[in-house]
Amino acid sequence: MPTYVSLLSWTDQGVRNYKDTANRSEAFGAAVQKLGAKLLSIYWTVGPYDLVAVVEAPDDETATAALLQLGGVGNVRSTTLRAFGPEEMDRIIAKAAG
């Protein structure tokens, strides 16, 4: 399944509700699962982003739906990157090499 890395920044609302962040991450994991995806890991970070979430989803549409649901709650904004594992990268290189 494709992997997505989401860099999350708290909104003003998210900062005000920081005490609920662990519960919110569990709710996000459950919501993602209902869409057929999986929250692999979530990390609270120091630096330009407040959290990093790693999600597996069957396709871009499912990943986008999950992140729209997350953003719609109003606690975070996201920047999402499609991540490629070693086997996927090998296939990409094979295609590029012709």
Side-chain angles (χ1 to χ4, degrees), residues 26-37 66 69:
E26 290 177 15
F28 175 57
V32 164
Q33 196 166 16
K34 287 181 184 176
L35 293 172
Q69 284 183 352

Side-chain angles (χ1 to χ4, degrees), residues 1 4 6 9 14 16-17 26 28-30 32 36 38 43 47 50 59 62 67 71 78-79 81 85 87 89 93:
M1 231 188 307
Y4 303 85
S6 291
S9 298
R16 282 193 304 274
N17 298 319
E26 290 177 15
F28 175 57
V32 164
K38 182 177 181 183
Y43 301 97
D50 299 304
D59 50 49
T62 303
L67 291 161
S78 65
T79 300
L81 310 166
E87 291 176 5
M89 200 61 214
I93 291 169

Side-chain angles (χ1 to χ4, degrees), residues 13-93:
Q13 174 183 308
V15 171
R16 282 193 304 274
N17 298 319
Y18 73 92
K19 291 180 183 178
D20 297 329
T21 188
N23 292 334
R24 291 194 313 253
S25 72
E26 290 177 15
F28 175 57
V32 164
Q33 196 166 16
K34 287 181 184 176
L35 293 172
K38 182 177 181 183
L39 177 61
L40 297 178
S41 56
I42 190 161
Y43 301 97
W44 287 261
T45 57
V46 175
Y49 298 98
D50 299 304
L51 302 101
V52 176
V54 181
V55 175
E56 274 187 347
D59 50 49
D60 292 345
E61 291 84 3
T62 303
T64 302
L67 291 161
L68 282 171
Q69 284 183 352
L70 176 65
V73 175
N75 291 306
V76 294
R77 287 187 173 74
S78 65
T79 300
T80 302
L81 310 166
R82 170 64 166 89
F84 298 94
E87 291 176 5
E88 291 171 302
M89 200 61 214
D90 286 343
R91 289 192 300 271
I92 291 167
I93 291 169

